[in-house]
Amino acid sequence: MRELLTPRMLGAHLVGLVCVLVAGGLGVWQYEAWQQHRDDERVDLTQGEPVALADVLGPDDGFPAARVGQPVEISGTWLPDATVFVADRRHEGVDGYWVVTPITSGAADQPAVPVVRGWVEDPADAPAPPSGAGEVTGWLQPPEGTGATDEDPTDDVFPQLRVADLVQRVDGDLYGAYAVAEDGIDGLPAGDLEELPEPSSTTALKNILYAIEWWVFGAFAGFIWWRFVRESRAPALAEHPVPSST
């Protein structure tokens, strides 16, 4: 029995090994992503010292998941004409609106960050938005994506704070984030972080389910590989039986 490992069997060995390794590696990757989500959820940055926005996020960067709630300092120019209101926000048990005005990070032509200036029960009662140079310290938040539909896209009331909805109102770029001012601006009660929409738990759940799925696939590929090798060796063993040692 000299040539039991034929080219066909060698190819099957390699394909099976690659499938198992790839599936195992992808499973580990998804598991680590799930673990990272869990670690991020355990971190509360809201009580930390504020840092410059540029130290956390660039104008073209995706939102860093580990920085949710990070206090940041923004110095720039207010864009009062882009002020909007976000509906269904409560303050001390009363339904109302967030008052949102973007502020640039630096000069007037630099990218801007939407800032929740505070809360108001009726948009008609909101004070005039600030203009000119300004400074804000606020909690950094990722854009919302609740899936709510804007029933009237022509007004200044939004159902959620989605940066993409503000693009048409700003003559310039927007950061992929917004900030909730720690102290209400212009006498407004501060926006309450407890009134933020609950973060989706499905992303982390999908990661662990994908990990399990990849590992099951790897186990299945390993089983098929074993069956193929076993069945391929059977005719060769029948033709060239292994001599008995006795």
Side-chain angles (χ1 to χ4, degrees), residues 112-159:
V113 181
V115 173
V116 178
R117 293 163 43 213
W119 175 92
V120 68
E121 185 174 358
D122 187 336
D125 298 332
S131 59
E135 296 182 356
V136 177
T137 299
W139 295 293
L140 199 65
Q141 296 291 326
E144 295 177 359
T146 63
T149 302
D150 190 352
E151 297 180 357
D152 186 1
T154 63
D155 65 10
D156 293 330
V157 178
F158 291 174

Short mmCIF file of all heavy atoms in Angstrom, two decimals, residues 112-159:
data_model
loop_
_atom_site.label_atom_id
_atom_site.label_comp_id
_atom_site.label_asym_id
_atom_site.label_seq_id
_atom_site.Cartn_x
_atom_site.Cartn_y
_atom_site.Cartn_z
N ALA A 112 -19.49 70.64 10.84
CA ALA A 112 -20.28 71.01 12.01
C ALA A 112 -20.80 69.77 12.75
O ALA A 112 -20.91 68.68 12.18
CB ALA A 112 -21.46 71.89 11.60
N VAL A 113 -21.13 69.99 14.02
CA VAL A 113 -21.70 68.95 14.89
C VAL A 113 -23.07 69.43 15.37
O VAL A 113 -23.18 70.51 15.94
CB VAL A 113 -20.80 68.68 16.10
CG1 VAL A 113 -21.41 67.58 16.98
CG2 VAL A 113 -19.41 68.30 15.67
N PRO A 114 -24.14 68.66 15.14
CA PRO A 114 -25.43 69.03 15.71
C PRO A 114 -25.35 68.99 17.25
O PRO A 114 -24.84 68.02 17.82
CB PRO A 114 -26.38 67.96 15.18
CG PRO A 114 -25.69 67.39 13.98
CD PRO A 114 -24.23 67.47 14.29
N VAL A 115 -25.85 70.01 17.89
CA VAL A 115 -25.80 70.10 19.35
C VAL A 115 -27.23 70.20 19.90
O VAL A 115 -28.00 71.07 19.47
CB VAL A 115 -24.98 71.32 19.81
CG1 VAL A 115 -25.07 71.49 21.33
CG2 VAL A 115 -23.53 71.17 19.39
N VAL A 116 -27.56 69.33 20.84
CA VAL A 116 -28.83 69.42 21.54
C VAL A 116 -28.68 70.53 22.59
O VAL A 116 -28.07 70.33 23.63
CB VAL A 116 -29.21 68.08 22.21
CG1 VAL A 116 -30.52 68.23 22.98
CG2 VAL A 116 -29.33 66.98 21.16
N ARG A 117 -29.22 71.70 22.28
CA ARG A 117 -29.09 72.84 23.18
C ARG A 117 -29.92 72.67 24.45
O ARG A 117 -29.60 73.25 25.49
CB ARG A 117 -29.50 74.12 22.46
CG ARG A 117 -28.56 74.51 21.33
CD ARG A 117 -29.18 75.52 20.37
NE ARG A 117 -29.89 76.58 21.09
CZ ARG A 117 -30.99 77.19 20.62
NH1 ARG A 117 -31.50 76.82 19.45
NH2 ARG A 117 -31.57 78.14 21.32
N GLY A 118 -30.97 71.91 24.37
CA GLY A 118 -31.82 71.71 25.54
C GLY A 118 -33.19 71.20 25.13
O GLY A 118 -33.39 70.72 24.01
N TRP A 119 -34.13 71.33 26.06
CA TRP A 119 -35.47 70.78 25.86
C TRP A 119 -36.49 71.90 25.95
O TRP A 119 -36.32 72.88 26.70
CB TRP A 119 -35.75 69.73 26.95
CG TRP A 119 -37.14 69.15 26.96
CD1 TRP A 119 -37.56 68.02 26.32
CD2 TRP A 119 -38.29 69.66 27.64
NE1 TRP A 119 -38.89 67.79 26.55
CE2 TRP A 119 -39.37 68.79 27.38
CE3 TRP A 119 -38.52 70.78 28.46
CZ2 TRP A 119 -40.65 68.99 27.90
CZ3 TRP A 119 -39.79 70.99 28.97
CH2 TRP A 119 -40.84 70.10 28.69
N VAL A 120 -37.58 71.76 25.18
CA VAL A 120 -38.67 72.72 25.24
C VAL A 120 -39.98 71.97 25.04
O VAL A 120 -40.03 70.98 24.31
CB VAL A 120 -38.50 73.82 24.15
CG1 VAL A 120 -38.68 73.24 22.76
CG2 VAL A 120 -39.45 74.97 24.39
N GLU A 121 -41.02 72.42 25.72
CA GLU A 121 -42.31 71.73 25.60
C GLU A 121 -42.98 72.01 24.27
O GLU A 121 -43.64 71.15 23.69
CB GLU A 121 -43.24 72.14 26.74
CG GLU A 121 -44.56 71.38 26.76
CD GLU A 121 -45.40 71.69 27.98
OE1 GLU A 121 -44.94 72.47 28.84
OE2 GLU A 121 -46.53 71.15 28.08
N ASP A 122 -42.81 73.25 23.76
CA ASP A 122 -43.42 73.66 22.50
C ASP A 122 -42.36 74.39 21.68
O ASP A 122 -41.74 75.34 22.17
CB ASP A 122 -44.60 74.59 22.77
CG ASP A 122 -45.38 74.93 21.51
OD1 ASP A 122 -44.81 74.84 20.40
OD2 ASP A 122 -46.57 75.29 21.62
N PRO A 123 -42.12 73.97 20.42
CA PRO A 123 -41.11 74.65 19.61
C PRO A 123 -41.32 76.15 19.50
O PRO A 123 -40.36 76.91 19.34
CB PRO A 123 -41.24 73.96 18.24
CG PRO A 123 -41.77 72.60 18.56
CD PRO A 123 -42.69 72.80 19.73
N ALA A 124 -42.58 76.58 19.58
CA ALA A 124 -42.85 78.02 19.48
C ALA A 124 -42.27 78.79 20.64
O ALA A 124 -42.07 80.01 20.55
CB ALA A 124 -44.37 78.25 19.39
N ASP A 125 -42.00 78.11 21.75
CA ASP A 125 -41.45 78.78 22.93
C ASP A 125 -39.92 78.74 22.98
O ASP A 125 -39.33 79.25 23.94
CB ASP A 125 -42.00 78.13 24.20
CG ASP A 125 -43.52 78.26 24.30
OD1 ASP A 125 -44.06 79.24 23.75
OD2 ASP A 125 -44.16 77.37 24.90
N ALA A 126 -39.30 78.13 22.00
CA ALA A 126 -37.84 78.02 22.01
C ALA A 126 -37.20 79.39 21.80
O ALA A 126 -37.67 80.19 20.98
CB ALA A 126 -37.38 77.06 20.92
N PRO A 127 -36.14 79.69 22.54
CA PRO A 127 -35.43 80.96 22.33
C PRO A 127 -34.73 80.97 20.98
O PRO A 127 -34.48 79.93 20.38
CB PRO A 127 -34.43 81.00 23.48
CG PRO A 127 -34.20 79.57 23.83
CD PRO A 127 -35.51 78.87 23.59
N ALA A 128 -34.44 82.16 20.50
CA ALA A 128 -33.73 82.28 19.23
C ALA A 128 -32.40 81.56 19.31
O ALA A 128 -31.72 81.60 20.35
CB ALA A 128 -33.52 83.75 18.89
N PRO A 129 -32.01 80.87 18.25
CA PRO A 129 -30.74 80.13 18.29
C PRO A 129 -29.56 81.09 18.37
O PRO A 129 -29.63 82.22 17.87
CB PRO A 129 -30.75 79.36 16.98
CG PRO A 129 -31.65 80.12 16.08
CD PRO A 129 -32.71 80.72 16.96
N PRO A 130 -28.49 80.65 18.99
CA PRO A 130 -27.30 81.49 19.08
C PRO A 130 -26.64 81.65 17.71
O PRO A 130 -26.83 80.83 16.81
CB PRO A 130 -26.39 80.73 20.04
CG PRO A 130 -26.82 79.31 19.90
CD PRO A 130 -28.29 79.35 19.63
N SER A 131 -25.86 82.69 17.57
CA SER A 131 -25.12 82.91 16.33
C SER A 131 -23.71 83.38 16.69
O SER A 131 -23.42 83.72 17.84
CB SER A 131 -25.81 83.96 15.46
OG SER A 131 -25.92 85.20 16.15
N GLY A 132 -22.84 83.37 15.71
CA GLY A 132 -21.47 83.79 15.96
C GLY A 132 -20.66 82.70 16.63
O GLY A 132 -21.02 81.52 16.63
N ALA A 133 -19.54 83.11 17.23
CA ALA A 133 -18.65 82.14 17.86
C ALA A 133 -19.29 81.57 19.13
O ALA A 133 -20.07 82.24 19.81
CB ALA A 133 -17.32 82.81 18.20
N GLY A 134 -18.95 80.32 19.43
CA GLY A 134 -19.50 79.68 20.62
C GLY A 134 -18.64 78.51 21.07
O GLY A 134 -17.80 78.01 20.31
N GLU A 135 -18.87 78.11 22.30
CA GLU A 135 -18.19 76.95 22.88
C GLU A 135 -19.22 76.07 23.56
O GLU A 135 -20.13 76.57 24.23
CB GLU A 135 -17.11 77.38 23.87
CG GLU A 135 -15.97 78.18 23.26
CD GLU A 135 -14.91 78.53 24.28
OE1 GLU A 135 -15.13 78.23 25.48
OE2 GLU A 135 -13.89 79.12 23.91
N VAL A 136 -19.05 74.77 23.40
CA VAL A 136 -20.00 73.81 23.97
C VAL A 136 -19.24 72.65 24.59
O VAL A 136 -18.25 72.18 24.02
CB VAL A 136 -20.96 73.25 22.88
CG1 VAL A 136 -21.89 72.20 23.48
CG2 VAL A 136 -21.76 74.36 22.26
N THR A 137 -19.71 72.21 25.75
CA THR A 137 -19.26 70.94 26.32
C THR A 137 -20.46 70.02 26.35
O THR A 137 -21.50 70.37 26.93
CB THR A 137 -18.70 71.12 27.73
OG1 THR A 137 -17.57 71.99 27.69
CG2 THR A 137 -18.26 69.77 28.31
N GLY A 138 -20.33 68.87 25.72
CA GLY A 138 -21.49 67.97 25.64
C GLY A 138 -21.08 66.52 25.54
O GLY A 138 -19.91 66.19 25.33
N TRP A 139 -22.08 65.66 25.71
CA TRP A 139 -21.87 64.21 25.61
C TRP A 139 -22.00 63.77 24.17
O TRP A 139 -23.01 64.01 23.52
CB TRP A 139 -22.89 63.47 26.48
CG TRP A 139 -22.74 63.71 27.94
CD1 TRP A 139 -21.72 63.33 28.75
CD2 TRP A 139 -23.67 64.42 28.78
NE1 TRP A 139 -21.95 63.73 30.04
CE2 TRP A 139 -23.14 64.40 30.10
CE3 TRP A 139 -24.90 65.05 28.57
CZ2 TRP A 139 -23.79 65.00 31.18
CZ3 TRP A 139 -25.55 65.65 29.63
CH2 TRP A 139 -25.00 65.62 30.93
N LEU A 140 -20.99 63.11 23.66
CA LEU A 140 -20.99 62.67 22.27
C LEU A 140 -21.89 61.45 22.10
O LEU A 140 -21.85 60.52 22.91
CB LEU A 140 -19.56 62.34 21.84
CG LEU A 140 -19.28 62.30 20.34
CD1 LEU A 140 -19.47 63.69 19.73
CD2 LEU A 140 -17.86 61.81 20.09
N GLN A 141 -22.69 61.46 21.04
CA GLN A 141 -23.62 60.37 20.78
C GLN A 141 -23.60 60.00 19.30
O GLN A 141 -23.39 60.87 18.43
CB GLN A 141 -25.06 60.79 21.15
CG GLN A 141 -25.27 61.07 22.62
CD GLN A 141 -25.17 59.81 23.47
OE1 GLN A 141 -25.57 58.72 23.02
NE2 GLN A 141 -24.65 59.94 24.67
N PRO A 142 -23.83 58.72 18.96
CA PRO A 142 -23.92 58.32 17.56
C PRO A 142 -25.25 58.77 16.97
O PRO A 142 -26.23 58.97 17.70
CB PRO A 142 -23.84 56.79 17.62
CG PRO A 142 -24.40 56.45 18.97
CD PRO A 142 -24.00 57.57 19.89
N PRO A 143 -25.34 58.95 15.66
CA PRO A 143 -26.61 59.32 15.04
C PRO A 143 -27.68 58.28 15.35
O PRO A 143 -27.39 57.09 15.45
CB PRO A 143 -26.29 59.34 13.54
CG PRO A 143 -24.81 59.49 13.46
CD PRO A 143 -24.25 58.81 14.67
N GLU A 144 -28.89 58.75 15.53
CA GLU A 144 -29.99 57.83 15.82
C GLU A 144 -30.47 57.16 14.54
O GLU A 144 -30.33 57.71 13.45
CB GLU A 144 -31.14 58.58 16.49
CG GLU A 144 -30.78 59.14 17.85
CD GLU A 144 -31.89 59.94 18.48
OE1 GLU A 144 -32.96 60.08 17.86
OE2 GLU A 144 -31.70 60.42 19.61
N GLY A 145 -31.05 56.00 14.70
CA GLY A 145 -31.59 55.28 13.55
C GLY A 145 -32.73 54.40 14.00
O GLY A 145 -32.68 53.19 13.88
N THR A 146 -33.77 55.03 14.53
CA THR A 146 -34.89 54.27 15.08
C THR A 146 -35.81 53.73 14.00
O THR A 146 -36.67 52.90 14.27
CB THR A 146 -35.72 55.16 16.02
OG1 THR A 146 -36.29 56.26 15.28
CG2 THR A 146 -34.85 55.72 17.14
N GLY A 147 -35.66 54.24 12.77
CA GLY A 147 -36.55 53.82 11.70
C GLY A 147 -37.84 54.61 11.63
O GLY A 147 -38.71 54.33 10.80
N ALA A 148 -37.97 55.63 12.51
CA ALA A 148 -39.18 56.45 12.52
C ALA A 148 -39.29 57.23 11.21
O ALA A 148 -38.29 57.69 10.65
CB ALA A 148 -39.15 57.40 13.71
N THR A 149 -40.51 57.39 10.72
CA THR A 149 -40.77 58.09 9.46
C THR A 149 -41.13 59.54 9.74
O THR A 149 -41.95 59.84 10.61
CB THR A 149 -41.92 57.41 8.70
OG1 THR A 149 -41.58 56.04 8.46
CG2 THR A 149 -42.17 58.11 7.38
N ASP A 150 -40.50 60.44 8.99
CA ASP A 150 -40.81 61.86 9.10
C ASP A 150 -42.05 62.14 8.26
O ASP A 150 -41.99 62.12 7.02
CB ASP A 150 -39.63 62.69 8.61
CG ASP A 150 -39.79 64.18 8.93
OD1 ASP A 150 -40.89 64.56 9.37
OD2 ASP A 150 -38.83 64.93 8.72
N GLU A 151 -43.18 62.40 8.91
CA GLU A 151 -44.44 62.59 8.19
C GLU A 151 -44.47 63.88 7.40
O GLU A 151 -45.25 64.01 6.45
CB GLU A 151 -45.60 62.53 9.19
CG GLU A 151 -45.74 61.19 9.89
CD GLU A 151 -46.90 61.16 10.87
OE1 GLU A 151 -47.56 62.21 11.02
OE2 GLU A 151 -47.14 60.10 11.46
N ASP A 152 -43.66 64.87 7.78
CA ASP A 152 -43.62 66.13 7.05
C ASP A 152 -42.16 66.58 6.91
O ASP A 152 -41.65 67.33 7.75
CB ASP A 152 -44.44 67.20 7.76
CG ASP A 152 -44.53 68.49 6.95
OD1 ASP A 152 -43.96 68.53 5.83
OD2 ASP A 152 -45.16 69.45 7.43
N PRO A 153 -41.48 66.13 5.88
CA PRO A 153 -40.05 66.47 5.71
C PRO A 153 -39.81 67.96 5.49
O PRO A 153 -38.66 68.40 5.53
CB PRO A 153 -39.64 65.65 4.47
CG PRO A 153 -40.70 64.60 4.32
CD PRO A 153 -41.95 65.22 4.83
N THR A 154 -40.86 68.74 5.24
CA THR A 154 -40.67 70.16 4.94
C THR A 154 -40.62 71.03 6.19
O THR A 154 -40.23 72.19 6.10
CB THR A 154 -41.81 70.67 4.04
OG1 THR A 154 -43.06 70.56 4.73
CG2 THR A 154 -41.88 69.84 2.75
N ASP A 155 -41.02 70.50 7.35
CA ASP A 155 -41.00 71.33 8.56
C ASP A 155 -39.68 71.16 9.30
O ASP A 155 -38.77 70.46 8.84
CB ASP A 155 -42.20 71.02 9.46
CG ASP A 155 -42.17 69.61 10.02
OD1 ASP A 155 -41.12 68.92 9.88
OD2 ASP A 155 -43.17 69.18 10.61
N ASP A 156 -39.59 71.79 10.46
CA ASP A 156 -38.35 71.75 11.25
C ASP A 156 -38.40 70.74 12.38
O ASP A 156 -37.55 70.77 13.28
CB ASP A 156 -38.07 73.14 11.83
CG ASP A 156 -37.75 74.16 10.76
OD1 ASP A 156 -37.20 73.77 9.71
OD2 ASP A 156 -38.07 75.36 10.95
N VAL A 157 -39.38 69.86 12.36
CA VAL A 157 -39.53 68.84 13.41
C VAL A 157 -39.16 67.48 12.85
O VAL A 157 -39.72 67.03 11.85
CB VAL A 157 -40.97 68.83 13.96
CG1 VAL A 157 -41.11 67.74 15.02
CG2 VAL A 157 -41.34 70.19 14.55
N PHE A 158 -38.20 66.82 13.51
CA PHE A 158 -37.74 65.50 13.10
C PHE A 158 -38.21 64.47 14.13
O PHE A 158 -38.30 64.77 15.32
CB PHE A 158 -36.22 65.46 13.00
CG PHE A 158 -35.64 66.27 11.87
CD1 PHE A 158 -34.27 66.40 11.75
CD2 PHE A 158 -36.45 66.89 10.94
CE1 PHE A 158 -33.72 67.14 10.71
CE2 PHE A 158 -35.92 67.63 9.90
CZ PHE A 158 -34.54 67.76 9.78
N PRO A 159 -38.45 63.24 13.69
CA PRO A 159 -38.81 62.19 14.64
C PRO A 159 -37.60 61.57 15.33
O PRO A 159 -37.73 60.84 16.30
CB PRO A 159 -39.51 61.15 13.76
CG PRO A 159 -38.87 61.31 12.42
CD PRO A 159 -38.58 62.78 12.29
#
